Short mmCIF file of all heavy atoms in Angstrom, two decimals:
data_model
loop_
_atom_site.label_atom_id
_atom_site.label_comp_id
_atom_site.label_asym_id
_atom_site.label_seq_id
_atom_site.Cartn_x
_atom_site.Cartn_y
_atom_site.Cartn_z
N ARG A 199 -0.59 -2.04 -11.62
CA ARG A 199 0.65 -2.88 -11.60
C ARG A 199 0.40 -4.08 -12.55
O ARG A 199 1.32 -4.46 -13.33
CB ARG A 199 0.89 -3.30 -10.21
CG ARG A 199 2.15 -4.26 -10.11
CD ARG A 199 2.36 -4.83 -8.79
NE ARG A 199 3.55 -5.71 -8.74
CZ ARG A 199 3.75 -6.61 -7.79
NH1 ARG A 199 2.83 -6.80 -6.78
NH2 ARG A 199 4.79 -7.40 -7.81
N VAL A 200 -0.74 -4.70 -12.45
CA VAL A 200 -1.04 -5.92 -13.20
C VAL A 200 -1.09 -5.54 -14.70
O VAL A 200 -0.48 -6.25 -15.53
CB VAL A 200 -2.34 -6.57 -12.82
CG1 VAL A 200 -2.75 -7.67 -13.78
CG2 VAL A 200 -2.26 -7.17 -11.43
N ILE A 201 -1.69 -4.35 -15.03
CA ILE A 201 -1.67 -3.93 -16.46
C ILE A 201 -0.27 -3.66 -16.92
O ILE A 201 0.16 -4.16 -18.05
CB ILE A 201 -2.51 -2.63 -16.59
CG1 ILE A 201 -3.99 -2.99 -16.27
CG2 ILE A 201 -2.39 -2.10 -18.02
CD1 ILE A 201 -4.89 -1.74 -16.21
N ALA A 202 0.55 -3.04 -16.11
CA ALA A 202 1.97 -2.75 -16.53
C ALA A 202 2.76 -4.02 -16.67
O ALA A 202 3.57 -4.13 -17.56
CB ALA A 202 2.63 -1.78 -15.52
N GLU A 203 2.49 -5.04 -15.80
CA GLU A 203 3.20 -6.27 -15.93
C GLU A 203 2.77 -7.03 -17.10
O GLU A 203 3.59 -7.69 -17.80
CB GLU A 203 2.99 -7.12 -14.62
CG GLU A 203 3.70 -6.52 -13.34
CD GLU A 203 5.13 -6.72 -13.31
OE1 GLU A 203 5.70 -7.30 -14.21
OE2 GLU A 203 5.76 -6.39 -12.23
N LEU A 204 1.46 -6.94 -17.48
CA LEU A 204 1.00 -7.53 -18.70
C LEU A 204 1.71 -6.95 -19.89
O LEU A 204 2.14 -7.68 -20.85
CB LEU A 204 -0.47 -7.38 -18.82
CG LEU A 204 -1.31 -8.37 -18.04
CD1 LEU A 204 -2.77 -7.89 -17.91
CD2 LEU A 204 -1.38 -9.81 -18.71
N ARG A 205 1.85 -5.62 -19.94
CA ARG A 205 2.52 -5.00 -21.07
C ARG A 205 3.99 -5.41 -21.09
O ARG A 205 4.54 -5.68 -22.24
CB ARG A 205 2.40 -3.44 -20.90
CG ARG A 205 1.03 -2.85 -20.89
CD ARG A 205 0.16 -3.39 -22.01
NE ARG A 205 -1.09 -2.63 -22.16
CZ ARG A 205 -2.10 -3.05 -22.84
NH1 ARG A 205 -2.02 -4.15 -23.54
NH2 ARG A 205 -3.26 -2.29 -22.95
N ALA A 206 4.62 -5.54 -20.01
CA ALA A 206 6.05 -5.93 -19.96
C ALA A 206 6.23 -7.38 -20.52
O ALA A 206 7.23 -7.73 -21.00
CB ALA A 206 6.56 -5.83 -18.51
N ALA A 207 5.19 -8.17 -20.27
CA ALA A 207 5.20 -9.63 -20.70
C ALA A 207 4.83 -9.76 -22.18
O ALA A 207 4.83 -10.88 -22.72
CB ALA A 207 4.27 -10.42 -19.86
N GLY A 208 4.52 -8.63 -22.83
CA GLY A 208 4.26 -8.66 -24.29
C GLY A 208 2.75 -8.68 -24.65
O GLY A 208 2.39 -8.84 -25.79
N HIS A 209 1.86 -8.47 -23.69
CA HIS A 209 0.43 -8.36 -24.01
C HIS A 209 0.08 -7.00 -24.52
O HIS A 209 -0.02 -6.03 -23.69
CB HIS A 209 -0.37 -8.67 -22.80
CG HIS A 209 -1.82 -8.78 -23.04
ND1 HIS A 209 -2.43 -9.89 -23.51
CD2 HIS A 209 -2.82 -7.82 -22.93
CE1 HIS A 209 -3.75 -9.68 -23.68
NE2 HIS A 209 -4.01 -8.40 -23.24
N ASP A 210 0.03 -6.84 -25.83
CA ASP A 210 -0.20 -5.49 -26.39
C ASP A 210 -1.63 -5.23 -26.79
O ASP A 210 -1.97 -4.11 -27.22
CB ASP A 210 0.64 -5.37 -27.66
CG ASP A 210 2.12 -5.46 -27.33
OD1 ASP A 210 2.49 -4.86 -26.26
OD2 ASP A 210 2.98 -5.97 -28.15
N ASP A 211 -2.52 -6.15 -26.62
CA ASP A 211 -3.96 -5.98 -27.01
C ASP A 211 -4.57 -5.03 -26.02
O ASP A 211 -4.13 -4.74 -24.98
CB ASP A 211 -4.75 -7.34 -26.92
CG ASP A 211 -4.24 -8.29 -27.90
OD1 ASP A 211 -3.54 -7.92 -28.87
OD2 ASP A 211 -4.58 -9.54 -27.74
N PRO A 212 -5.73 -4.31 -26.57
CA PRO A 212 -6.45 -3.42 -25.69
C PRO A 212 -6.92 -4.14 -24.41
O PRO A 212 -7.34 -5.34 -24.41
CB PRO A 212 -7.59 -2.97 -26.54
CG PRO A 212 -7.14 -3.21 -27.92
CD PRO A 212 -6.26 -4.42 -27.92
N ILE A 213 -6.91 -3.44 -23.30
CA ILE A 213 -7.43 -3.94 -22.07
C ILE A 213 -8.58 -3.08 -21.65
O ILE A 213 -8.51 -1.85 -21.74
CB ILE A 213 -6.35 -3.92 -20.94
CG1 ILE A 213 -5.26 -4.94 -21.20
CG2 ILE A 213 -6.93 -4.16 -19.58
CD1 ILE A 213 -3.99 -4.89 -20.33
N TYR A 214 -9.73 -3.73 -21.27
CA TYR A 214 -10.89 -3.01 -20.95
C TYR A 214 -10.95 -2.72 -19.43
O TYR A 214 -10.55 -3.55 -18.59
CB TYR A 214 -12.12 -3.84 -21.37
CG TYR A 214 -12.28 -3.87 -22.95
CD1 TYR A 214 -11.55 -4.82 -23.68
CD2 TYR A 214 -13.14 -3.02 -23.56
CE1 TYR A 214 -11.66 -4.83 -25.05
CE2 TYR A 214 -13.22 -3.01 -24.94
CZ TYR A 214 -12.53 -3.96 -25.67
OH TYR A 214 -12.65 -3.97 -27.01
N LEU A 215 -11.54 -1.56 -19.11
CA LEU A 215 -11.60 -1.11 -17.71
C LEU A 215 -13.04 -0.89 -17.18
O LEU A 215 -13.85 -0.33 -18.01
CB LEU A 215 -10.81 0.20 -17.53
CG LEU A 215 -9.37 0.21 -17.78
CD1 LEU A 215 -8.82 1.67 -17.55
CD2 LEU A 215 -8.61 -0.74 -16.88
N HIS A 216 -13.26 -1.33 -16.04
CA HIS A 216 -14.49 -0.86 -15.35
C HIS A 216 -14.37 0.65 -15.09
O HIS A 216 -13.26 1.12 -14.92
CB HIS A 216 -14.52 -1.58 -13.99
CG HIS A 216 -15.71 -1.38 -13.17
ND1 HIS A 216 -16.01 -0.18 -12.48
CD2 HIS A 216 -16.82 -2.14 -12.88
CE1 HIS A 216 -17.19 -0.29 -11.88
NE2 HIS A 216 -17.71 -1.50 -12.05
#
Side-chain angles (χ1 to χ4, degrees):
R199 181 188 178 198
V200 171
I201 293 170
E203 293 284 2
L204 281 163
R205 299 311 191 194
H209 184 85
D210 297 324
D211 294 344
I213 292 174
Y214 289 83
L215 295 181
H216 186 285

